[in-house]
Amino acid sequence: MTRKFFGTDGIRGRTNDGVMTAATAMRVGQAAGRHFLRGDHRHRVVIGKDTRLSGYMMESALVAGFTSVGMDVIMTGPLPTPAIALLTREMRADLGVMISASHNLFEDNGIKLFGPDGFKLSDEDELAIEALLECEPPLVAAPMVGRARRIDDARGRYIHAVKQSVSDEIRFDDLKVVVDCAHGAAYQVTPSAIWELGADVVTLGVEPDGTNINDGVGSTALEAVRAAVVRENADIGIALDGDADRLIVIDERGRTVDGDQIMALIATRLAHRQALRGGGIVATVMSNLGLERYLADQGLSLERTKVGDRYVLERMRQGGFNVGGEQSGHMILLDHATTGDGTVAALQVLASLVRSGKPASELLHQFEPVPQLLKNVRYSGGAPLEDANVKACIADAEGELAGKGRVVIRASGTEPVIRVMAEGDDAAQVEQVVDRICAAVQDAA
């Protein structure tokens, strides 16, 4: 079945355009509600959101959809995506919904769904909901319409849960931490959790106004947090995205620490304690070849998946891994969360700083990345990757880098963009390869 609504991470698009409308949101509530109506108990859904202006509209529409098919609704207000996954499971809900477009600017929004176990929905569940979206929903009789309520202690519940991911003897008293919340969903909970564990916290991106999410702050705009770390003479900077499921770190010298380095740190520390499961980690095809070589030197494996944290998580669950993620900062630590959680990952990094007594610049750069270059080619239609010249150019590049590098070409799952990535030991060669492929794609687009 062709997907009309669901992409690689739920449903996402520009607000009031295409699929991302209030009407669609109501239908999603009705379809997902129908799909998860199982048994005679009173069914329940937890709905959270980030700080986008359109979140109010989408929340109201989803509430209307769910209640119209007989589901009760619990609304949390702004909370990170992993908090909704957590609360869905802990409150014995049948479904969880996060309203967010993650790292996108405020004009976009999205809908992410979680099953009763707190994990993102399977392909089968999403396809079943897709099919129901095309049908007229059977509405319940008036006495069976669902009820909706807001809960006031959701933030406190999440803060308590993430703090449990750190050993009781660990305190952050000697750390000065810059925390950039991207004016997003974590603007209250993440600074509070780190402060409660003893750190001196300097905050950025904690004044959401509905339109400033991810705007010049957060994990996709690092200049603000980098400048703050240096200006404040801080030990480390923590940068989250709009829904706080990804993390990028800045060391005390202002250098970036991406998801590959964070995974390397967490995995090797767990391996030393014989607590790393699966014999290695799971990452995507975009993770740096340097990470793969580093793990191999440690006797650990790197398993690669398609881009998307859902595919990483799927392989982790299949293979019994407890550490996985993406170079972009999604960190999935299954000992503590059912989905990517930037706050939990940040606490693990801070705990490692405390245990080691080393500065971030020494501890967090675990390996030397090989030169890697990613360029995006926007196209207006068609299928550029099916073009014969593009295929031939890619094949030539793969042959040129064989044994000393990689080429990864993929279409974005959220926008009309072809992503062209290459890496290898020779930076000049990598750039030439990427530019040749980009030119071929542009000619075919």
Side-chain angles (χ1 to χ4, degrees), residues 219 238-240 245-249 259 262 328-331 342 345-346 349:
S219 62
I238 300 298
L240 305 173
D245 65 352
R246 68 168 73 182
L247 164 74
I248 297 294
V249 171
I262 297 169
S328 60
H330 285 113
M331 296 292 110
V349 171

Side-chain angles (χ1 to χ4, degrees), residues 10-349:
I11 303 170
R12 188 181 300 183
R14 192 173 181 87
T15 301
N16 279 346
D17 186 21
V19 300
M20 196 44 54
T21 65
T24 299
M26 186 174 74
R27 293 299 290 265
V28 169
Q30 292 170 328
R34 285 176 59 201
H35 182 65
F36 281 92
L37 285 174
R38 302 166 181 175
D40 298 327
H41 64 281
R42 192 71 186 177
H43 289 73
R44 175 184 293 174
V45 56
V46 176
I47 299 180
K49 60 184 180 180
D50 64 22
T51 55
R52 293 164 208 273
L53 179 63
S54 59
Y56 295 97
M57 176 184 75
M58 304 305 288
E59 179 186 60
S60 298
L62 283 162
V63 170
F66 281 116
T67 54
S68 73
V69 296
M71 267 197 164
D72 290 340
V73 176
I74 296 171
M75 294 170 284
T76 70
L79 271 185
T81 290
I84 302 308
L86 169 76
L87 290 171
T88 299
R89 185 171 59 176
E90 290 204 344
M91 300 187 74
R92 309 298 191 268
D94 301 275
L95 186 63
V97 181
M98 179 65 183
I99 305 166
S100 175
S102 190
H103 58 280
N104 293 23
L105 294 178
F106 89 95
E107 293 92 345
D108 293 344
N109 216 330
I111 300 172
K112 302 180 184 182
L113 301 176
F114 295 92
D117 56 2
F119 288 97
K120 290 183 178 179
L121 298 191
S122 66
D123 287 337
E124 292 74 19
D125 281 326
E126 288 187 350
L127 287 172
I129 293 170
E130 282 260 6
L132 290 171
L133 281 166
E134 302 294 342
C135 306
E136 192 64 31
L139 306 180
V140 298
M144 299 303 295
V145 169
R147 300 175 183 270
R149 59 174 291 190
R150 293 190 180 273
I151 57 173
D152 298 324
D153 63 344
R155 292 171 186 156
R157 291 187 189 205
Y158 178 65
I159 290 170
H160 175 76
V162 297
K163 286 165 56 182
Q164 301 312 300
S165 68
V166 177
S167 299
D168 290 342
E169 74 274 10
I170 293 292
R171 294 185 58 86
F172 300 159
D173 297 66
D174 296 326
L175 294 179
K176 186 173 187 179
V177 184
V178 176
V179 181
D180 182 350
C181 297
H183 297 306
Y187 76 101
Q188 291 180 318
V189 292
T190 301
S192 295
I194 295 173
W195 175 81
E196 288 182 18
L197 288 169
D200 178 7
V201 176
V202 178
T203 56
L204 287 178
V206 294
E207 299 177 351
D209 63 10
T211 66
N212 61 358
I213 189 170
N214 300 312
D215 188 6
V217 286
S219 62
T220 55
L222 295 171
E223 285 307 312
V225 65
R226 183 178 291 116
V229 167
V230 175
R231 181 180 67 248
E232 299 287 341
N233 196 27
D235 296 290
I236 192 171
I238 300 298
L240 305 173
D241 67 338
D243 68 335
D245 65 352
R246 68 168 73 182
L247 164 74
I248 297 294
V249 171
I250 302 296
D251 70 21
E252 84 282 3
R253 296 181 181 178
R255 294 191 297 167
T256 300
V257 181
D258 66 12
D260 285 348
Q261 298 284 3
I262 297 169
M263 284 189 285
L265 171 69
I266 293 174
T268 51
R269 290 197 163 260
L270 286 176
H272 291 156
R273 303 204 309 266
Q274 297 186 325
L276 182 69
R277 300 197 304 273
I281 69 173
V282 181
T284 76
V285 293
M286 302 302 288
S287 278
N288 194 274
L289 183 60
L291 172 62
E292 187 171 346
R293 292 171 175 173
Y294 169 79
L295 291 172
D297 289 343
Q298 308 295 315
L300 303 174
S301 66
L302 172 64
E303 293 207 17
R304 295 184 184 270
T305 72
K306 294 189 294 184
V307 171
D309 61 316
R310 63 177 298 171
Y311 302 112
V312 172
L313 178 57
E314 182 180 274
R315 179 63 194 126
M316 290 174 68
R317 297 179 74 185
Q318 290 172 347
F321 295 86
N322 59 342
V323 176
E326 296 188 278
Q327 185 186 68
S328 60
H330 285 113
M331 296 292 110
I332 305 175
L333 307 177
L334 283 183
D335 292 338
H336 308 295
T338 57
T339 188
D341 192 324
T343 305
V344 165
L347 295 183
Q348 302 309 303
V349 171

